[in-house]
Amino acid sequence: MSELNLILVGPPGAGKGTQAERIQQDFGLPYFATGNILRKAVTDGTELGKQAKAYMDDGKLVPDELIVGVLLEALDGAEATDGFLLDGFPRKISQADALAEALEKVGRKLTAVLLIDVPDEEVIRRLSGRRTCAKNGHTYHVDFDPPKHEGVCDQDGSKLIQRDDDKPEVISKRLVTYHDETEPLVEYYEARDLLRRFDGTRTPTEVHDHIRATIATLRLEDAI
Ligand code: AP5
């Protein structure tokens, strides 16, 4: 197949990061998650991080001027020449247009947009129990996917923390932002015949199996 250029879309807590780890392993794709890029900038105390933090802590999207250039520059790098997996970008129509324009300029196109869908009640349940590895971002859930040793990442032994935006009052705001600003992308990509839907209420393994099978079919169709 030509290059595999994938986007993961879905509400907060849909399992985008969880599935991204698996898809990366399946297909060896470079992974760009704008949430992770922004959280690292906050931790490192960079200018981007300083400007982004207030928006993130309030459950809002950071302004396009802060994130679009950063993401497009990363995609333009050598690492992404044979394909990519985006998580958390685009998150609104203006970002989708910016991405489409940038890809078109270099003669590339998207393969598929993978929508992982879960209802709001499930988002709240998942995010309030989520714990995140402070070093590499691996995620756990205190009830559904606990680490072997409480508070410690199974994969690298780092401390597990609760993200600032996983507090109940911020989760509700993130959901409002999702429905208002990000959900219109579903129609946008459906109209371009790129959208593929996945039931995010299934187990992580079931969701992963479905995604993997869909990508395999896309590759077969491309080969015919
Ligand atoms: P970002 O980091 O992208 O947050 P998000 O989209 O809200 O997504 P999450 O990381 O919270 O959830 P996820 O879907 O990855 O779920 P996970 O796999 O962890 O963005 C954060 C902020 O940055 C934004 O609010 C915004 O301010 C800013 N930002 C980022 N990108 C931006 C952009 N492009 N423009 C502007 N601003 C931007 O799973 C969640 C939990 O559920 C875990 O505990 C996991 O163990 C569990 N779980 C996962 N799958 C399942 C399953 N199938 N069944 C049961 N439990 C499961």
Side-chain angles (χ1 to χ4, degrees), residues 7-24:
I7 294 177
L8 277 166
V9 178
K16 302 182 295 295
T18 302
Q19 295 303 324
E21 277 199 25
R22 297 172 186 220
I23 299 170
Q24 279 177 85

Side-chain angles (χ1 to χ4, degrees), residues 13 16-18 34 39 60 88 91 95 130 140 174 202:
K16 302 182 295 295
T18 302
T34 42
R39 277 186 291 281
K60 294 189 178 132
R91 227 175 175 101
Q95 296 184 1
R130 174 167 63 183
Y140 300 85
R174 287 164 68 195
R202 313 299 291 263

Side-chain angles (χ1 to χ4, degrees), residues 1 29 32 35 56 94 99 115 136 141 146 167-168 181 193 195:
M1 178 170 198
L29 290 173
F32 303 96
M56 296 169 77
S94 58
L99 176 64
L115 168 68
N136 288 311
H141 191 283
K167 300 195 174 103
E181 303 200 52
D193 199 22
L195 196 85

Side-chain angles (χ1 to χ4, degrees), residues 74-115:
L75 273 193
D76 206 25
E79 203 194 348
T81 44
D82 293 330
F84 55 76
L85 175 62
L86 298 186
D87 170 359
F89 190 99
R91 227 175 175 101
K92 56 200 280 209
I93 303 283
S94 58
Q95 296 184 1
D97 285 340
L99 176 64
E101 196 183 312
L103 290 176
E104 200 184 335
K105 260 191 204 154
V106 290
R108 301 176 75 178
K109 59 185 174 115
L110 292 172
T111 310
V113 176
L114 315 173
L115 168 68

Side-chain angles (χ1 to χ4, degrees), residues 141-213:
H141 191 283
V142 288
D143 299 319
F144 316 126
D145 181 22
K148 292 193 186 88
H149 304 285
E150 198 183 323
V152 181
C153 179
D154 293 346
Q155 298 196 40
D156 58 24
S158 303
K159 192 174 153 207
L160 298 181
I161 53 159
Q162 181 169 34
R163 272 170 45 176
D164 286 342
D165 61 353
D166 279 349
K167 300 195 174 103
E169 63 282 11
V170 189
I171 296 172
S172 324
K173 290 185 184 173
R174 287 164 68 195
L175 274 168
V176 171
T177 303
Y178 175 75
H179 292 302
D180 287 352
E181 303 200 52
T182 307
E183 215 166 25
L185 289 177
V186 172
E187 209 176 296
Y188 178 99
Y189 283 123
E190 222 157 24
R192 288 156 179 78
D193 199 22
L194 285 167
L195 196 85
R196 300 291 181 276
R197 288 174 187 270
F198 302 90
D199 177 359
T201 64
R202 313 299 291 263
T203 66
T205 301
E206 286 170 332
V207 178
H208 174 226
D209 287 347
H210 188 188
I211 291 178
R212 210 175 28 184

